[in-house]
Amino acid sequence: MHRTHTCGELRLSDLGKSVTLSGWVQKSRDLGGMTFIDVRDRYGVTQLAFNTDDDEQLRIGARELGREFVIKVHGQVIERSSKNPKIPTGDIEIKVTSLDVLNASKLPPFTIEDETDGGEDLRMKFRYLDLRRNPVRENLILRHKMAQEVRKYLDEQHFIEVETPVLIKSTPEGARDFVVPSRMNAGEFYALPQSPQTFKQLLMVSGFDRYFQIVKCFRDEDLRADRQPEFTQIDCEMSFVEQEDILNMFEGLARHLLKTIKGVDLGSVPRMTYADAMRLYGSDKPDIRFGMQFVELNKLTKGVGFPVFEQAELVVGINVQGAAHYTRKQLDALTDYVKRPQVGASGLVYARYNEDGTLKSSVDKFYSEEHLKSWASAFEATPGDLFLIMAGPQDKVRKQLNELRLEVGNQLGLRDKNKFAPLWVLDFPLLEWDEETGRYHAMHHPFTSPKPEDIPLLDSNPGEVRANAYDFVLNGSEIGGGSIRIHDKDLQALMFKHLGFSPEEAQKQFGFLMEAFTFGAPPHGGLAFGFDRMASIFAGLDTIRDVIAFPKNNSGRDVMIDAPSTIDQAQLKELSLVLNQKTPS
């Protein structure tokens, strides 16, 4: 056999045992009379000892081993004279009696260590080597454990895991689809699913009252740290439920995962309406690990002649407690931060509430200390605090202040990755206006139910209609979202009408679902958690790429296998496609 034990399991209790280990050479140390090799597998590292006096040829073989050689050794477990308390196997070593090189290795392009010298692009190209590093492997083990706990919890709650199709029909709503040409149906295309939405609703019609699936989904959209063209959802749906049932069920899932994976006891999860989230934080996914709620100052700042405030739709600020010590240089840096194109603000006003009780601002020319005292009262401030104030169009300035709030939270260490602050955001708008197309679009998807009391507003004031929709937010990231669905054919037809679908278009795209609703569709609703994003937060990472075994880069490319790539002209002909393909460089 290639091994009797792994490289991470031997202890002092195993002294004297004759063992066989296999793994990769982590490092070697030649000390003259002795050569020591660290051999590694995914379970850990064990030190091997080669003694000249026992077998000169064996030690010569050990000296020729390079990093990442795959070896098999046989020997005896002995107590290590120079123990290493940093590893579980640090009390023992293997006195080697035989050595086999199973495979040699080229010198790796970067060191296979916890702290590597490889840049991200290089590690992505050689991802199979990067996966040998402990931090990356541990992230995937964490992901595996989370998936097992998800299945355990949902199985105990009587959910059934059902696989839904990957080759489906393209729809015009939402993000862009990835499309797949059909060879057997020339000129027609499948789409890869952005979610199993319609299928899980059909499962509710079928009587599968509790469905889930850990499922791959696909969206052809611009990428960033928390997005990939293919991603994984914990997709769920329930019948005979109202919103409260959904919130309780999946709050329970979050509580179970945090307890079993992170050892964190989750208290009650606060709830906030979308309107309040935007008013108090300028974001529909606020990070509530720290305070700095927005304070609106229109009444206290207008009428004194400061043009920036006089002309603004909204003057709004945050109180950064204990930050009056910020220097002019630091405040100038914050001003530069909000002026970046990514934020787009024209400037920043600040005021210090000094420890001696005096107040000084960057607009003292316009505002007296009495004015500033009224600001301090609005902020519920105490000496030592710092006020940061912005002004402009309401929606725009709230988003800009949100970016500033998060940046200050980072600077002050308030966004602790070991702290978990969940939040439900409720009562989203059902529809949002798209200036480019000149019509309303579904903020979530066309199957989201409006609040029953708001249905009359669909004709008179569609922008004010609230949805029976909810998002689960964790540490400032939306990790889950869902809604109570429309299960009535007539209401679904009305929704399609307000989204700009003609009856013919609605029938062509979703006729199968509308017909299913005529055969007794139960009230139903669901939710999907972004599994990659949730795993990255649990792992304390800023990007989802490190919890995905083989991720794409920010251009949507897999640089390891060089995909996407051109295909053979014969394949294109079979698919009835004619493309002007780029000539490979």
Side-chain angles (χ1 to χ4, degrees):
M1 63 179 64
H2 281 299
R3 61 184 179 186
T4 58
H5 299 76
T6 70
C7 296
E9 68 176 295
L10 294 169
R11 302 290 189 272
L12 282 174
S13 58
D14 297 302
L15 289 180
K17 284 184 179 178
S18 180
V19 299
T20 301
L21 303 183
S22 291
W24 288 264
V25 173
Q26 177 80 21
K27 63 177 65 171
S28 62
R29 299 174 299 283
D30 188 354
L31 303 182
M34 295 286 292
T35 297
F36 295 97
I37 301 287
D38 287 347
V39 63
R40 179 197 75 240
D41 61 14
R42 80 172 174 92
Y43 303 95
V45 175
T46 296
Q47 179 170 285
L48 311 176
F50 297 82
N51 192 319
T52 303
D53 296 335
D54 293 340
D55 189 332
E56 174 67 14
Q57 196 62 39
L58 186 63
R59 194 170 72 84
I60 291 173
R63 281 178 165 175
E64 294 175 349
L65 296 176
R67 278 181 175 265
E68 302 308 310
F69 275 45
V70 186
I71 62 172
K72 169 185 171 183
V73 297
H74 185 76
Q76 185 180 33
V77 182
I78 62 174
E79 187 169 1
R80 188 165 165 173
S81 58
S82 178
K83 294 181 172 58
N84 182 357
K86 295 180 180 179
I87 58 175
T89 60
D91 290 336
I92 60 94
E93 62 189 14
I94 308 302
K95 182 180 178 182
V96 178
T97 56
S98 70
L99 165 67
D100 291 315
V101 176
L102 302 178
N103 217 328
S105 172
K106 295 195 300 185
L107 184 67
F110 53 86
T111 55
I112 314 296
E113 301 277 0
D114 290 3
E115 298 295 330
T116 183
D117 56 357
E120 184 174 12
D121 290 343
L122 186 64
R123 290 187 290 110
M124 289 276 281
K125 181 173 177 61
F126 295 94
R127 182 64 167 175
Y128 47 86
L129 296 180
D130 197 33
L131 289 169
R132 294 180 187 176
R133 296 194 307 116
N134 288 328
V136 184
R137 182 175 63 250
E138 286 165 4
N139 291 338
L140 293 185
I141 292 172
L142 171 77
R143 181 188 178 107
H144 160 75
K145 290 178 179 176
M146 290 179 68
Q148 299 311 306
E149 292 299 334
V150 166
R151 288 190 166 95
K152 177 181 176 183
Y153 174 86
L154 293 175
D155 180 64
E156 289 174 352
Q157 301 298 324
H158 309 296
F159 282 76
I160 298 173
E161 186 167 12
V162 181
E163 295 179 4
T164 53
V166 173
L167 295 175
I168 65 168
K169 185 177 187 176
S170 182
T171 60
E173 289 290 313
R176 285 181 294 272
D177 288 326
F178 282 101
V179 294
V180 181
S182 171
R183 178 182 60 81
M184 293 183 290
N185 300 277
E188 296 185 316
F189 295 81
Y190 300 104
L192 302 181
Q194 297 184 33
S195 96
Q197 183 62 44
T198 54
F199 290 100
K200 65 181 180 179
Q201 290 191 249
L202 292 171
L203 284 169
M204 297 303 103
V205 177
S206 302
F208 288 82
D209 65 329
R210 293 193 173 190
Y211 141 93
F212 87 99
Q213 185 179 186
I214 300 179
V215 59
K216 270 290 177 78
C217 300
F218 307 84
R219 290 180 189 169
D220 187 7
E221 58 186 356
D222 296 335
L223 306 180
R224 56 183 188 232
D226 61 350
R227 283 184 181 170
Q228 286 275 296
E230 54 179 304
F231 57 96
T232 305
Q233 287 185 177
I234 307 168
D235 197 62
C236 307
E237 198 80 3
M238 302 170 69
S239 292
F240 305 111
V241 290
E242 297 177 343
Q243 178 174 287
E244 192 67 24
D245 302 306
I246 303 280
L247 301 188
N248 289 334
M249 177 63 70
F250 295 105
E251 188 175 310
L253 174 58
R255 183 172 283 107
H256 174 77
L257 288 174
L258 280 167
K259 178 63 176 178
T260 56
I261 302 298
K262 301 296 293 182
V264 172
D265 287 309
L266 192 63
S268 60
V269 178
R271 300 179 181 184
M272 184 180 300
T273 65
Y274 170 86
D276 282 345
M278 298 305 295
R279 179 177 60 84
L280 296 173
Y281 296 98
S283 171
D284 59 2
K285 47 181 184 296
D287 188 342
I288 60 169
R289 283 175 291 182
F290 62 104
M292 296 190 214
Q293 287 187 353
F294 293 4
V295 175
E296 298 183 1
L297 301 167
N298 279 28
K299 293 180 181 179
L300 302 178
T301 56
K302 298 204 175 199
V304 300
F306 180 46
V308 174
F309 288 174
E310 296 296 338
Q311 299 164 11
E313 180 183 6
L314 177 65
V315 181
V316 62
I318 55 175
N319 177 19
V320 188
Q321 294 182 346
H325 63 273
Y326 262 46
T327 65
R328 178 61 183 270
K329 183 178 180 181
Q330 288 175 299
L331 292 167
D332 286 346
L334 288 178
T335 302
D336 291 340
Y337 177 83
V338 299
K339 286 183 174 180
R340 297 183 315 150
Q342 299 94 318
V343 180
S346 57
L348 176 67
V349 170
Y350 61 83
R352 292 189 184 90
Y353 194 172
N354 297 315
E355 293 288 357
D356 62 6
T358 60
L359 286 142
K360 297 292 290 181
S361 79
S362 58
V363 287
D364 280 348
K365 177 180 177 182
F366 296 93
Y367 295 95
S368 68
E369 188 155 359
E370 286 304 309
H371 285 118
L372 300 183
K373 284 181 179 177
S374 70
W375 296 6
S377 177
F379 281 118
E380 299 182 354
T382 57
D385 291 350
L386 173 71
F387 315 147
L388 300 176
I389 303 168
M390 301 177 72
Q394 177 176 283
D395 293 345
K396 187 175 180 181
V397 76
R398 282 174 173 166
K399 291 177 181 177
Q400 292 166 345
L401 188 58
N402 169 58
E403 295 293 334
L404 177 63
R405 175 181 177 269
L406 296 177
E407 173 63 18
V408 173
N410 283 330
Q411 291 184 8
L412 297 176
L414 301 176
R415 305 184 73 190
D416 183 356
K417 292 179 179 178
N418 294 311
K419 182 179 178 181
F420 298 93
L423 172 72
W424 285 110
V425 178
L426 313 174
D427 295 354
F428 281 82
L430 181 71
L431 306 169
E432 57 183 346
W433 182 257
D434 188 312
E435 293 289 349
E436 188 174 324
T437 60
R439 67 181 181 91
Y440 281 105
H441 289 264
M443 181 171 266
H444 285 75
H445 53 63
F447 316 108
T448 296
S449 173
K451 293 276 187 184
E453 62 270 28
D454 288 357
I455 291 176
L457 294 174
L458 278 169
D459 288 316
S460 60
N461 194 356
E464 292 299 312
V465 178
R466 295 167 300 157
N468 258 327
Y470 34 81
D471 277 0
F472 190 81
V473 177
L474 184 62
N475 293 1
S477 289
E478 176 226 323
I479 63 165
S483 64
I484 298 298
R485 322 300 187 189
I486 297 170
H487 67 282
D488 175 78
K489 179 178 181 291
D490 293 336
L491 181 57
Q492 186 65 73
L494 180 64
M495 183 66 175
F496 286 142
K497 172 188 171 184
H498 284 284
L499 290 172
F501 287 84
S502 68
E504 294 75 22
E505 288 171 331
Q507 179 63 31
K508 180 180 178 182
Q509 295 293 336
F510 303 110
F512 65 94
L513 185 65
M514 302 276 276
E515 184 174 18
F517 285 174
T518 67
F519 289 98
H524 60 282
L527 173 144
F529 281 116
F531 188 44
D532 310 298
R533 195 174 297 177
M534 182 187 287
S536 69
I537 293 173
F538 275 46
L541 301 169
D542 295 321
T543 171
I544 65 172
R545 285 194 294 269
D546 282 338
V547 294
I548 298 173
F550 298 103
K552 309 290 189 292
N553 67 11
N554 282 344
S555 300
R557 294 198 65 83
D558 186 325
V559 295
M560 182 182 68
I561 64 172
D562 192 25
S565 62
T566 58
I567 63 173
D568 187 86
Q569 288 293 331
Q571 287 179 276
L572 291 174
K573 187 175 181 181
E574 274 192 325
L575 296 168
S576 303
L577 294 176
V578 178
L579 297 178
N580 293 320
Q581 298 205 66
K582 295 183 295 182
T583 301
S585 56

